[in-house]
Coordinates of all heavy atoms in Angstrom, one line a residue:
M1 N -17.6 3.7 -14.9 CA -18.3 2.5 -14.6 C -17.8 1.8 -13.3 O -16.6 1.6 -13.2 CB -18.3 1.5 -15.8 CG -18.9 0.2 -15.4 SD -18.9 -0.9 -16.8 CE -20.6 -0.8 -17.3
S2 N -18.7 1.6 -12.4 CA -18.2 0.9 -11.1 C -18.0 -0.5 -11.3 O -18.6 -1.2 -12.1 CB -19.2 1.2 -10.0 OG -20.4 0.7 -10.3
I3 N -17.1 -1.1 -10.4 CA -17.0 -2.6 -10.4 C -17.9 -3.1 -9.2 O -17.8 -2.6 -8.1 CB -15.6 -2.9 -10.1 CG1 -14.6 -2.3 -11.2 CG2 -15.3 -4.4 -10.0 CD1 -13.2 -2.4 -10.8
Q4 N -18.8 -4.0 -9.5 CA -19.7 -4.4 -8.5 C -19.1 -5.7 -7.8 O -18.7 -6.6 -8.5 CB -21.0 -4.8 -9.1 CG -21.7 -3.6 -9.7 CD -22.1 -2.5 -8.6 OE1 -22.6 -2.9 -7.5 NE2 -21.8 -1.3 -8.9
G5 N -19.2 -5.7 -6.5 CA -18.8 -6.9 -5.7 C -19.9 -7.8 -5.6 O -21.1 -7.7 -6.1
S6 N -19.8 -8.9 -4.8 CA -20.8 -10.0 -4.8 C -22.1 -9.6 -4.1 O -23.1 -10.2 -4.3 CB -20.2 -11.2 -4.0 OG -19.8 -10.8 -2.7
K7 N -22.0 -8.6 -3.2 CA -23.3 -8.1 -2.6 C -23.7 -6.7 -3.1 O -24.2 -5.9 -2.4 CB -23.1 -8.0 -1.1 CG -22.9 -9.4 -0.4 CD -22.8 -9.2 1.0 CE -22.7 -10.6 1.7 NZ -22.6 -10.6 3.1
N8 N -23.3 -6.4 -4.4 CA -23.6 -5.1 -5.0 C -22.9 -4.0 -4.3 O -23.3 -2.8 -4.3 CB -25.1 -4.8 -5.1 CG -25.8 -5.6 -6.2 OD1 -25.1 -6.0 -7.1 ND2 -27.0 -5.9 -6.0
W9 N -21.8 -4.3 -3.6 CA -20.9 -3.3 -3.0 C -20.2 -2.7 -4.2 O -19.7 -3.3 -5.1 CB -19.9 -3.9 -2.1 CG -20.4 -4.5 -0.8 CD1 -21.2 -5.6 -0.7 CD2 -20.4 -3.9 0.4 NE1 -21.5 -5.8 0.6 CE2 -21.1 -4.7 1.3 CE3 -19.9 -2.7 0.9 CZ2 -21.3 -4.5 2.6 CZ3 -20.0 -2.4 2.3 CH2 -20.7 -3.3 3.1
I10 N -19.9 -1.4 -4.1 CA -19.1 -0.7 -5.1 C -17.7 -0.9 -4.7 O -17.2 -0.7 -3.6 CB -19.4 0.8 -5.1 CG1 -20.9 1.0 -5.6 CG2 -18.5 1.5 -6.1 CD1 -21.4 2.4 -5.5
M11 N -16.9 -1.4 -5.7 CA -15.5 -1.8 -5.5 C -14.6 -0.9 -6.3 O -15.0 -0.4 -7.4 CB -15.3 -3.2 -5.9 CG -16.2 -4.2 -5.3 SD -16.1 -4.4 -3.5 CE -14.7 -5.4 -3.4
V12 N -13.4 -0.6 -5.8 CA -12.4 0.2 -6.5 C -11.1 -0.6 -6.5 O -10.9 -1.5 -5.6 CB -12.2 1.6 -5.9 CG1 -13.5 2.4 -5.9 CG2 -11.6 1.5 -4.4
P13 N -10.2 -0.4 -7.5 CA -9.0 -1.1 -7.5 C -8.1 -0.7 -6.4 O -8.0 0.4 -5.9 CB -8.4 -0.7 -8.9 CG -9.1 0.5 -9.2 CD -10.4 0.5 -8.6
T14 N -7.3 -1.8 -5.9 CA -6.4 -1.5 -4.8 C -5.1 -1.0 -5.3 O -4.3 -0.4 -4.5 CB -6.1 -2.9 -4.0 OG1 -5.7 -3.8 -4.9 CG2 -7.4 -3.3 -3.3
Q15 N -4.8 -1.2 -6.6 CA -3.4 -0.8 -7.0 C -3.0 0.7 -6.8 O -1.9 0.9 -6.3 CB -3.3 -1.1 -8.6 CG -1.9 -1.0 -9.1 CD -1.0 -2.1 -8.5 OE1 -1.3 -3.2 -8.5 NE2 0.2 -1.6 -8.0
P16 N -3.9 1.6 -7.0 CA -3.5 3.0 -6.7 C -3.0 3.2 -5.2 O -2.1 4.0 -5.0 CB -4.7 3.8 -7.1 CG -5.4 3.0 -8.1 CD -5.2 1.7 -7.7
L17 N -3.8 2.6 -4.3 CA -3.5 2.7 -2.9 C -2.2 2.0 -2.6 O -1.3 2.6 -1.9 CB -4.6 2.1 -2.0 CG -4.3 2.2 -0.5 CD1 -4.2 3.7 0.0 CD2 -5.4 1.5 0.3
R18 N -2.0 0.8 -3.1 CA -0.7 0.1 -3.0 C 0.5 0.9 -3.5 O 1.5 1.0 -2.8 CB -0.8 -1.2 -3.6 CG -1.8 -2.2 -2.9 CD -1.6 -3.6 -3.4 NE -1.4 -3.8 -4.8 CZ -2.3 -4.3 -5.7 NH1 -3.5 -4.6 -5.3 NH2 -2.0 -4.5 -7.0
D19 N 0.3 1.5 -4.7 CA 1.4 2.2 -5.3 C 1.7 3.5 -4.3 O 2.9 3.7 -4.1 CB 1.0 2.7 -6.6 CG 0.9 1.6 -7.7 OD1 1.4 0.5 -7.4 OD2 0.4 1.9 -8.8
L20 N 0.7 4.2 -3.9 CA 0.9 5.3 -3.0 C 1.6 4.9 -1.7 O 2.7 5.5 -1.3 CB -0.4 6.0 -2.7 CG -0.2 7.2 -1.7 CD1 0.3 8.4 -2.4 CD2 -1.6 7.5 -1.1
M21 N 1.1 3.9 -1.1 CA 1.7 3.5 0.2 C 3.2 3.0 0.1 O 4.0 3.4 0.8 CB 0.9 2.3 0.8 CG -0.5 2.7 1.2 SD -0.7 4.0 2.4 CE -0.3 3.0 3.9
E22 N 3.5 2.2 -1.0 CA 4.8 1.7 -1.2 C 5.8 2.7 -1.6 O 6.9 2.6 -1.4 CB 4.7 0.4 -2.1 CG 4.0 -0.7 -1.3 CD 3.5 -1.8 -2.1 OE1 4.0 -2.0 -3.3 OE2 2.7 -2.7 -1.7
S23 N 5.3 3.8 -2.3 CA 6.2 4.8 -2.7 C 6.5 5.8 -1.5 O 7.6 6.3 -1.4 CB 5.7 5.6 -4.0 OG 4.6 6.3 -3.7
R24 N 5.5 6.1 -0.8 CA 5.6 7.0 0.4 C 6.3 6.4 1.5 O 7.1 7.1 2.3 CB 4.3 7.5 0.9 CG 3.7 8.6 0.0 CD 2.5 9.2 0.8 NE 2.0 10.3 0.1 CZ 1.0 11.1 0.6 NH1 0.5 10.9 1.8 NH2 0.6 12.2 -0.1
Y25 N 6.1 5.2 1.8 CA 6.7 4.5 2.9 C 7.3 3.2 2.6 O 6.9 2.1 3.0 CB 5.5 4.2 3.9 CG 4.6 5.4 4.2 CD1 3.3 5.4 3.6 CD2 5.0 6.5 4.9 CE1 2.5 6.5 3.8 CE2 4.2 7.6 5.1 CZ 2.9 7.6 4.5 OH 2.1 8.7 4.7
P26 N 8.4 3.2 1.8 CA 9.0 2.0 1.3 C 9.6 1.0 2.3 O 9.7 -0.2 2.1 CB 10.0 2.5 0.3 CG 10.4 3.8 0.8 CD 9.0 4.4 1.3
Q27 N 10.0 1.5 3.4 CA 10.7 0.7 4.4 C 9.7 0.1 5.5 O 10.2 -0.5 6.4 CB 11.8 1.6 5.1 CG 12.8 2.1 4.2 CD 13.5 1.0 3.4 OE1 13.9 0.0 4.0 NE2 13.7 1.3 2.1
E28 N 8.4 0.5 5.4 CA 7.5 0.1 6.5 C 6.9 -1.3 6.2 O 6.8 -1.8 5.1 CB 6.4 1.1 6.6 CG 6.9 2.4 7.2 CD 5.8 3.4 7.6 OE1 4.6 3.0 7.6 OE2 6.2 4.5 8.1
T29 N 6.6 -2.0 7.4 CA 6.0 -3.3 7.3 C 4.5 -3.2 7.0 O 4.0 -2.1 7.1 CB 6.2 -4.0 8.7 OG1 5.5 -3.3 9.7 CG2 7.7 -4.1 9.1
A30 N 4.0 -4.3 6.8 CA 2.5 -4.4 6.5 C 1.8 -3.9 7.8 O 0.7 -3.2 7.6 CB 2.1 -5.8 6.1
R31 N 2.3 -4.3 8.9 CA 1.6 -3.8 10.1 C 1.6 -2.2 10.2 O 0.7 -1.6 10.5 CB 2.3 -4.3 11.4 CG 1.6 -4.0 12.7 CD 2.4 -4.6 13.9 NE 2.4 -6.0 13.9 CZ 1.4 -6.8 14.2 NH1 0.3 -6.3 14.6 NH2 1.5 -8.1 14.1
Q32 N 2.8 -1.6 10.0 CA 2.9 -0.2 10.0 C 2.0 0.5 8.9 O 1.4 1.5 9.2 CB 4.3 0.2 9.8 CG 5.2 -0.2 11.0 CD 6.7 0.0 10.6 OE1 7.2 -0.4 9.5 NE2 7.5 0.5 11.6
L33 N 2.0 -0.1 7.8 CA 1.3 0.5 6.7 C -0.2 0.3 7.0 O -1.0 1.3 6.7 CB 1.6 -0.3 5.3 CG 3.0 0.0 4.8 CD1 3.3 -0.9 3.6 CD2 3.2 1.5 4.4
G34 N -0.7 -0.8 7.5 CA -2.0 -1.0 7.9 C -2.4 0.0 9.0 O -3.5 0.7 8.9
K35 N -1.6 0.3 9.9 CA -1.9 1.3 11.0 C -2.1 2.7 10.4 O -3.0 3.4 10.8 CB -0.8 1.3 12.0 CG -1.0 2.1 13.2 CD 0.0 1.9 14.3 CE -0.4 2.7 15.5 NZ 0.7 2.5 16.6
R36 N -1.3 3.0 9.4 CA -1.5 4.3 8.7 C -2.8 4.5 8.1 O -3.3 5.6 8.1 CB -0.4 4.5 7.6 CG 1.0 4.8 8.2 CD 1.9 5.2 7.0 NE 3.2 5.4 7.5 CZ 3.6 6.6 8.1 NH1 2.7 7.6 8.2 NH2 4.8 6.8 8.6
I37 N -3.5 3.4 7.7 CA -4.8 3.5 7.1 C -5.9 3.0 7.9 O -7.0 2.8 7.5 CB -4.8 2.9 5.6 CG1 -4.5 1.5 5.6 CG2 -3.9 3.7 4.7 CD1 -4.8 0.8 4.3
G38 N -5.6 2.7 9.2 CA -6.6 2.3 10.1 C -7.1 0.9 10.0 O -8.2 0.6 10.3
V39 N -6.2 0.0 9.5 CA -6.6 -1.5 9.4 C -5.5 -2.3 10.0 O -4.4 -1.9 10.2 CB -6.9 -1.9 7.9 CG1 -8.0 -1.0 7.3 CG2 -5.6 -1.7 7.1
S40 N -5.8 -3.6 10.3 CA -4.9 -4.5 10.8 C -3.8 -4.9 9.7 O -4.0 -4.7 8.5 CB -5.6 -5.8 11.3 OG -6.1 -6.5 10.2
R41 N -2.8 -5.6 10.2 CA -1.8 -6.1 9.3 C -2.4 -7.1 8.3 O -2.2 -7.1 7.1 CB -0.7 -6.8 10.1 CG 0.3 -7.5 9.2 CD 1.3 -8.4 9.9 NE 0.6 -9.5 10.5 CZ 0.3 -10.6 9.9 NH1 0.7 -10.8 8.7 NH2 -0.3 -11.6 10.5
D42 N -3.3 -8.0 8.8 CA -4.0 -9.0 7.9 C -4.9 -8.3 6.9 O -4.9 -8.7 5.7 CB -4.8 -9.9 8.8 CG -4.0 -10.8 9.6 OD1 -2.8 -11.0 9.4 OD2 -4.6 -11.3 10.6
T43 N -5.6 -7.3 7.3 CA -6.4 -6.5 6.3 C -5.5 -5.8 5.2 O -5.8 -5.9 4.0 CB -7.2 -5.5 7.0 OG1 -8.2 -6.2 7.9 CG2 -8.1 -4.7 6.0
Y44 N -4.4 -5.3 5.7 CA -3.5 -4.6 4.7 C -2.9 -5.7 3.8 O -2.8 -5.5 2.6 CB -2.3 -3.8 5.3 CG -1.6 -3.1 4.3 CD1 -2.2 -1.9 3.8 CD2 -0.4 -3.5 3.9 CE1 -1.5 -1.2 2.8 CE2 0.3 -2.8 2.8 CZ -0.3 -1.7 2.3 OH 0.3 -1.0 1.3
Q45 N -2.6 -6.9 4.3 CA -2.1 -8.0 3.4 C -3.2 -8.3 2.4 O -2.8 -8.6 1.2 CB -1.8 -9.2 4.3 CG -0.5 -9.1 5.0 CD 0.7 -9.0 4.2 OE1 1.2 -7.9 3.7 NE2 1.4 -10.1 3.9
R46 N -4.4 -8.3 2.7 CA -5.5 -8.6 1.8 C -5.6 -7.5 0.7 O -5.8 -7.8 -0.5 CB -6.9 -8.7 2.4 CG -7.1 -10.1 3.1 CD -8.5 -10.3 3.5 NE -9.0 -9.5 4.6 CZ -8.7 -9.6 5.8 NH1 -8.0 -10.7 6.3 NH2 -9.2 -8.8 6.7
I47 N -5.3 -6.2 1.1 CA -5.3 -5.1 0.2 C -4.2 -5.3 -0.8 O -4.3 -5.2 -2.0 CB -5.2 -3.8 0.9 CG1 -6.5 -3.5 1.6 CG2 -4.8 -2.7 -0.1 CD1 -6.4 -2.3 2.6
R48 N -3.0 -5.9 -0.3 CA -1.9 -6.2 -1.2 C -2.1 -7.2 -2.1 O -1.5 -7.2 -3.2 CB -0.7 -6.5 -0.3 CG 0.1 -5.4 0.3 CD 1.3 -5.9 1.0 NE 2.3 -4.9 1.3 CZ 3.2 -5.0 2.2 NH1 3.4 -6.2 2.8 NH2 4.0 -4.0 2.4
T49 N -2.9 -8.2 -1.8 CA -3.1 -9.4 -2.6 C -4.4 -9.4 -3.5 O -4.5 -10.3 -4.3 CB -3.0 -10.7 -1.8 OG1 -4.0 -10.7 -0.8 CG2 -1.6 -10.8 -1.1
H50 N -5.3 -8.5 -3.2 CA -6.5 -8.5 -3.9 C -6.5 -7.3 -4.9 O -5.9 -6.4 -4.6 CB -7.8 -8.4 -3.0 CG -8.0 -9.7 -2.2 ND1 -7.3 -10.1 -1.1 CD2 -8.9 -10.6 -2.4 CE1 -7.7 -11.2 -0.6 NE2 -8.7 -11.6 -1.4
D51 N -7.3 -7.5 -5.9 CA -7.4 -6.5 -7.0 C -8.3 -5.3 -6.6 O -8.2 -4.3 -7.2 CB -7.8 -7.1 -8.3 CG -6.7 -8.0 -8.9 OD1 -5.6 -7.8 -8.6 OD2 -7.1 -9.0 -9.6
V52 N -9.3 -5.6 -5.8 CA -10.4 -4.6 -5.5 C -10.6 -4.5 -4.0 O -10.4 -5.5 -3.3 CB -11.6 -4.8 -6.3 CG1 -11.5 -4.6 -7.8 CG2 -12.3 -6.2 -6.0
M53 N -11.2 -3.4 -3.6 CA -11.7 -3.2 -2.2 C -13.0 -2.4 -2.3 O -13.2 -1.8 -3.2 CB -10.5 -2.5 -1.4 CG -10.3 -1.1 -1.9 SD -8.7 -0.4 -1.2 CE -9.0 -0.3 0.5
T54 N -13.7 -2.4 -1.2 CA -14.9 -1.6 -1.1 C -14.6 -0.1 -1.2 O -13.6 0.3 -0.7 CB -15.8 -1.9 0.1 OG1 -15.2 -1.5 1.3 CG2 -16.1 -3.4 0.2
Y55 N -15.5 0.6 -1.7 CA -15.2 2.1 -1.8 C -15.2 2.7 -0.4 O -14.6 3.7 -0.2 CB -16.2 2.8 -2.7 CG -17.5 3.0 -2.1 CD1 -17.8 4.4 -1.7 CD2 -18.5 2.1 -2.0 CE1 -19.1 4.7 -1.1 CE2 -19.7 2.4 -1.5 CZ -20.0 3.6 -1.0 OH -21.3 3.9 -0.5
I56 N -16.0 2.1 0.5 CA -16.0 2.6 1.9 C -14.6 2.4 2.5 O -14.1 3.4 3.2 CB -17.1 1.8 2.7 CG1 -18.5 2.2 2.1 CG2 -17.0 2.2 4.2 CD1 -19.6 1.4 2.7
R57 N -14.1 1.3 2.4 CA -12.7 1.0 2.9 C -11.7 1.9 2.3 O -10.8 2.5 2.9 CB -12.3 -0.4 2.8 CG -10.9 -0.6 3.3 CD -10.6 -2.1 3.7 NE -11.2 -2.3 5.0 CZ -11.5 -3.6 5.4 NH1 -11.3 -4.6 4.6 NH2 -12.2 -3.8 6.5
A58 N -11.8 2.1 0.9 CA -10.9 3.0 0.2 C -11.0 4.4 0.7 O -10.0 5.1 0.9 CB -11.2 2.9 -1.3
D59 N -12.3 4.9 1.0 CA -12.5 6.2 1.4 C -11.8 6.4 2.7 O -11.1 7.4 3.0 CB -14.0 6.5 1.5 CG -14.3 8.0 1.9 OD1 -13.9 8.9 1.3 OD2 -14.9 8.1 3.0
R60 N -12.0 5.5 3.6 CA -11.5 5.6 5.0 C -10.0 5.6 5.0 O -9.3 6.2 5.7 CB -12.0 4.4 5.8 CG -13.5 4.6 6.2 CD -14.0 3.4 7.0 NE -15.4 3.6 7.3 CZ -16.2 2.6 7.7 NH1 -15.8 1.4 7.8 NH2 -17.5 2.9 7.9
A61 N -9.4 4.7 4.1 CA -7.9 4.7 3.9 C -7.4 6.1 3.5 O -6.4 6.6 4.0 CB -7.5 3.6 3.0
A62 N -8.0 6.6 2.5 CA -7.6 7.9 2.0 C -7.7 9.0 3.1 O -6.7 9.8 3.3 CB -8.5 8.4 0.8
V63 N -8.8 9.0 3.8 CA -9.0 10.0 4.9 C -8.0 9.8 6.0 O -7.4 10.8 6.6 CB -10.4 10.0 5.4 CG1 -10.6 10.8 6.7 CG2 -11.4 10.5 4.3
S64 N -7.6 8.6 6.3 CA -6.6 8.3 7.3 C -5.3 8.9 6.9 O -4.4 9.2 7.8 CB -6.5 6.8 7.6 OG -7.7 6.3 8.1
L65 N -5.1 8.9 5.6 CA -3.8 9.5 5.1 C -3.9 11.0 4.9 O -2.9 11.6 4.5 CB -3.4 8.9 3.7 CG -3.1 7.4 3.8 CD1 -3.0 6.8 2.4 CD2 -1.8 7.2 4.6
G66 N -5.0 11.6 5.2 CA -5.2 13.0 5.1 C -5.5 13.4 3.7 O -5.2 14.6 3.4
L67 N -6.0 12.5 2.9 CA -6.2 12.8 1.5 C -7.7 12.6 1.1 O -8.4 11.8 1.8 CB -5.4 11.9 0.6 CG -3.9 11.9 0.8 CD1 -3.2 10.8 0.0 CD2 -3.4 13.3 0.3
H68 N -8.2 13.3 0.1 CA -9.5 13.0 -0.5 C -9.2 11.8 -1.4 O -8.2 11.7 -2.1 CB -10.0 14.2 -1.3 CG -11.4 14.1 -1.8 ND1 -11.7 13.2 -2.8 CD2 -12.5 14.5 -1.3 CE1 -13.0 13.2 -3.0 NE2 -13.5 14.0 -2.1
P69 N -10.2 10.9 -1.5 CA -10.0 9.7 -2.4 C -9.6 10.0 -3.8 O -8.9 9.3 -4.5 CB -11.3 8.9 -2.3 CG -11.9 9.4 -1.1 CD -11.4 10.8 -0.8
V70 N -10.1 11.1 -4.3 CA -9.8 11.5 -5.8 C -8.3 11.7 -5.9 O -7.9 11.6 -7.0 CB -10.7 12.6 -6.2 CG1 -10.1 14.0 -5.7 CG2 -10.8 12.7 -7.7
L71 N -7.6 12.0 -4.9 CA -6.1 12.2 -5.0 C -5.4 10.9 -5.1 O -4.2 10.8 -5.5 CB -5.6 13.0 -3.8 CG -6.1 14.4 -3.7 CD1 -5.7 15.1 -2.4 CD2 -5.7 15.3 -4.9
I72 N -6.0 9.8 -4.8 CA -5.5 8.4 -5.0 C -6.0 7.8 -6.2 O -5.3 7.2 -7.0 CB -5.7 7.6 -3.7 CG1 -5.1 8.2 -2.5 CG2 -5.2 6.2 -3.9 CD1 -5.4 7.5 -1.1
W73 N -7.4 7.9 -6.3 CA -8.0 7.3 -7.5 C -8.6 8.5 -8.3 O -9.6 9.1 -8.0 CB -9.3 6.4 -7.0 CG -8.8 5.2 -6.3 CD1 -8.6 4.0 -6.8 CD2 -8.6 5.0 -4.9 NE1 -8.2 3.1 -5.8 CE2 -8.3 3.7 -4.6 CE3 -8.8 5.9 -3.8 CZ2 -8.0 3.3 -3.3 CZ3 -8.5 5.5 -2.5 CH2 -8.2 4.1 -2.3
Q74 N -7.9 8.8 -9.4 CA -8.3 10.0 -10.2 C -9.7 9.8 -10.8 O -10.3 10.7 -11.0 CB -7.3 10.3 -11.3 CG -6.0 10.9 -10.8 CD -5.1 10.0 -10.0 OE1 -5.0 8.8 -10.4 NE2 -4.5 10.5 -9.0
D75 N -10.1 8.6 -11.0 CA -11.4 8.3 -11.5 C -12.4 7.9 -10.5 O -13.4 7.2 -10.7 CB -11.3 7.2 -12.6 CG -10.6 5.9 -12.1 OD1 -10.1 6.0 -10.9 OD2 -10.7 4.9 -12.8
W76 N -12.2 8.4 -9.2 CA -13.0 8.1 -8.1 C -14.5 8.3 -8.3 O -15.3 7.4 -8.0 CB -12.6 8.9 -6.9 CG -13.4 8.7 -5.6 CD1 -14.4 9.6 -5.1 CD2 -13.3 7.7 -4.7 NE1 -14.9 9.0 -4.0 CE2 -14.3 7.9 -3.7 CE3 -12.6 6.5 -4.6 CZ2 -14.5 7.0 -2.6 CZ3 -12.7 5.7 -3.6 CH2 -13.7 5.9 -2.6
Y77 N -14.9 9.4 -8.9 CA -16.3 9.7 -9.1 C -16.9 8.7 -10.1 O -18.0 8.3 -10.0 CB -16.6 11.1 -9.5 CG -16.1 12.1 -8.4 CD1 -15.1 12.9 -8.6 CD2 -16.9 12.1 -7.2 CE1 -14.7 13.8 -7.5 CE2 -16.5 12.9 -6.2 CZ -15.4 13.8 -6.3 OH -15.1 14.6 -5.3
E78 N -16.2 8.3 -11.1 CA -16.6 7.4 -12.1 C -16.8 6.0 -11.5 O -17.8 5.2 -11.7 CB -15.8 7.3 -13.4 CG -15.8 8.6 -14.2 CD -14.9 9.7 -13.7 OE1 -14.1 9.4 -12.8 OE2 -15.1 10.8 -14.2
L79 N -15.8 5.6 -10.7 CA -15.8 4.4 -10.0 C -16.9 4.2 -9.0 O -17.5 3.1 -8.9 CB -14.5 4.1 -9.3 CG -13.3 3.9 -10.1 CD1 -12.0 3.9 -9.3 CD2 -13.4 2.5 -10.9
T80 N -17.2 5.3 -8.3 CA -18.2 5.1 -7.2 C -19.6 5.6 -7.6 O -20.5 5.6 -6.7 CB -17.7 6.0 -6.0 OG1 -17.5 7.4 -6.4 CG2 -16.4 5.4 -5.5
T81 N -19.9 5.9 -8.8 CA -21.2 6.3 -9.2 C -21.9 5.0 -9.7 O -21.5 4.3 -10.5 CB -21.2 7.2 -10.4 OG1 -20.5 8.4 -10.0 CG2 -22.6 7.6 -10.8
K82 N -23.0 4.6 -8.9 CA -23.7 3.4 -9.2 C -24.6 3.6 -10.5 O -25.2 4.5 -10.8 CB -24.6 3.1 -8.0 CG -24.6 1.7 -7.7 CD -25.3 1.4 -6.4 CE -25.2 0.0 -6.1 NZ -25.9 -0.4 -4.9

């Protein structure tokens, strides 16, 4: 079941991405981590402090890391099926 945002955007939890980033790159700053996934430091800070993000941003983050989103969110297909 997908989590719906305020404009019917499909949302996914940020925790799996945060866990991956912080375990792979524990010494990096928010600016460096954001750069790895193609976002600004401020956007990465929002990912760190919010529980959900759009599936589009999540997909782009995964691809920026060279991964398919299902490797970060094991329930990707269930989350993103409207």
Side-chain angles (χ1 to χ4, degrees):
M1 172 179 254
S2 63
I3 302 168
Q4 296 294 317
S6 61
K7 293 184 179 181
N8 287 334
W9 291 77
I10 296 172
M11 307 297 279
V12 299
T14 56
Q15 191 66 50
L17 179 62
R18 292 193 318 252
D19 291 346
L20 175 76
M21 297 295 287
E22 291 165 15
S23 68
R24 278 193 177 185
Y25 314 107
Q27 301 301 317
E28 292 194 0
T29 65
R31 181 178 304 279
Q32 293 167 317
L33 293 170
K35 189 172 183 178
R36 286 191 178 276
I37 61 171
V39 300
S40 69
R41 179 191 62 83
D42 292 339
T43 299
Y44 189 75
Q45 286 294 86
R46 282 193 294 277
I47 291 169
R48 277 184 167 166
T49 59
H50 288 80
D51 292 332
V52 294
M53 63 194 298
T54 67
Y55 83 100
I56 294 169
R57 177 159 287 157
D59 180 64
R60 289 179 182 159
V63 170
S64 293
L65 294 170
L67 300 171
H68 188 282
V70 78
L71 297 173
I72 301 173
W73 295 270
Q74 284 73 37
D75 53 352
W76 178 256
Y77 296 111
E78 291 83 11
L79 290 169
T80 58
T81 302
K82 220 172 185 183

